[in-house]
Amino acid sequence: MVVFFDIDGTVVDYETQIIPESAAEAIRLLKKNGHLPIVNTGRPIGHVDPRVQKLDFSGWICSCGMELILDGEMIYKDYPSPEECKQILDLAHRCRMAIQTEGHDSLLFDADMPYHPLGLREAERLAAQGLRVEPIQDAADLQFIKFVTYDTPGCDREGFIQGVAPYFDAIVRANTMMEFIKKGHSKAEGMERFLKELHVPKEEIFAIGDSENDLPMFAMAGTTICLGDGVEDVKKVADYVTDPVLEDGVFNALRHFRLI
């Protein structure tokens, strides 16, 4: 079996940033039993918590399918061009959208826009990991992989979405927050490309997640699992709802399906 894992809100508790020992043990046992544990996350590989990178995963789908890594080797990547990055940054500023860009080792933000609490939390988390967090206005390199935006008073959200539509698709993550992925990519497309390398049928694919951007991943899997503290819309479509993250949700789900 191949088991695809979201990270935030699945392996790592979103509020406390705790990784339950039971989750790490479940991943170890999964691999010991001959199954393949694969991360499927919206984060670039450089933004993944170092503690998660140390877990016993066999492969990584990062940036919603824009980066694929198998046994430590990058087997696929597709990033926006420098020209596209500049156009998007200019448009965000004109439309008054607070933007955070996610690069290999950086998080950039527009210092002229209000800083959203969710954005500030993410910036503090990545800075603590040693990533470069700085204003776009001060950055020498504006290249990024993907980005998120937050609404601000008087912003032109629809104008911004239409302006970036030739390059990026929007995922609404909260009332004022959107995540943008390069066209032709998603967690599902990442899985599809990955599975071509592994030659595994859908019936042998599990997906475990908690939020809206996991829904494309769920559509590709034969069996789907939502964490007990996940989003209600995801719970409704999941084959199985396990316990919350901090109540051994990952371990209990894999035990339920006799994978460990």
Side-chain angles (χ1 to χ4, degrees):
M1 299 294 178
V2 181
V3 183
F4 290 94
F5 292 81
D6 173 52
I7 295 178
D8 299 296
T10 300
V11 175
V12 182
D13 179 64
Y14 189 77
E15 291 300 323
T16 65
Q17 292 296 296
I18 290 172
I19 301 175
E21 290 184 11
S22 63
E25 177 67 2
I27 293 161
R28 186 188 70 80
L29 291 174
L30 193 66
K31 196 168 182 180
K32 180 181 177 181
N33 290 347
H35 306 298
L36 288 179
I38 309 291
V39 166
N40 197 351
T41 179
R43 294 188 181 280
I45 185 63
H47 288 217
V48 174
D49 190 316
R51 298 173 300 162
V52 175
Q53 295 193 42
K54 291 179 181 178
L55 299 177
D56 203 14
F57 287 107
S58 299
W60 301 78
I61 300 172
C62 295
S63 301
C64 287
M66 296 165 65
E67 301 173 305
L68 305 183
I69 301 164
L70 179 61
D71 296 327
E73 179 184 354
M74 183 81 75
I75 61 174
Y76 174 87
K77 63 180 179 180
D78 186 12
Y79 304 141
S81 69
E83 294 75 19
E84 290 169 343
C85 291
K86 185 177 187 309
Q87 290 174 17
I88 288 163
L89 291 173
D90 289 345
L91 182 63
H93 194 78
R94 291 199 306 272
C95 292
R96 295 197 54 79
M97 299 294 293
I99 188 169
Q100 284 184 320
T101 69
E102 302 172 9
H104 296 285
D105 62 353
S106 67
L107 182 80
L108 304 183
F109 60 93
D110 188 342
D112 293 334
M113 294 292 111
Y115 219 132
H116 193 279
L118 289 175
L120 180 60
R121 175 176 175 170
E122 180 69 0
E124 291 173 342
R125 187 188 73 82
L126 292 176
Q129 289 180 199
L131 271 72
R132 179 168 54 94
V133 177
E134 63 179 342
I136 291 166
Q137 289 82 352
D138 297 339
D141 180 12
L142 298 178
Q143 180 76 46
F144 57 81
I145 300 171
K146 54 189 285 289
F147 63 96
V148 299
T149 64
Y150 302 92
D151 293 357
T152 68
C155 68
D156 181 8
R157 174 195 264 215
E158 291 307 313
F160 180 75
I161 292 174
Q162 292 175 15
V164 303
Y167 318 108
F168 279 78
D169 292 321
I171 302 172
V172 178
R173 296 294 304 273
N175 288 336
T176 63
M177 175 186 174
M178 295 184 292
E179 181 179 15
F180 289 83
I181 313 300
K182 189 176 180 184
K183 277 194 170 298
H185 299 84
S186 70
K187 289 190 172 186
E189 274 90 358
M191 288 172 68
E192 188 171 7
R193 290 186 178 100
F194 209 103
L195 292 169
K196 286 180 180 177
E197 297 282 332
L198 302 176
H199 307 291
V200 177
K202 184 172 183 176
E203 293 75 21
E204 297 181 9
I205 301 169
F206 284 73
I208 179 166
D210 72 300
S211 66
E212 294 93 339
N213 75 344
D214 294 317
L215 293 175
M217 176 173 73
F218 276 25
M220 288 289 296
T223 304
T224 58
I225 302 164
C226 182
L227 273 293
D229 39 6
V231 175
E232 288 302 319
D233 286 347
V234 181
K235 290 180 182 179
K236 291 176 183 176
V237 301
D239 295 311
Y240 182 72
V241 177
T242 185
D243 298 302
V245 179
L246 295 179
E247 296 177 25
D248 304 325
V250 168
F251 187 96
N252 292 341
L254 298 181
R255 176 63 58 85
H256 172 82
F257 287 103
R258 300 183 180 180
L259 296 175
I260 61 175

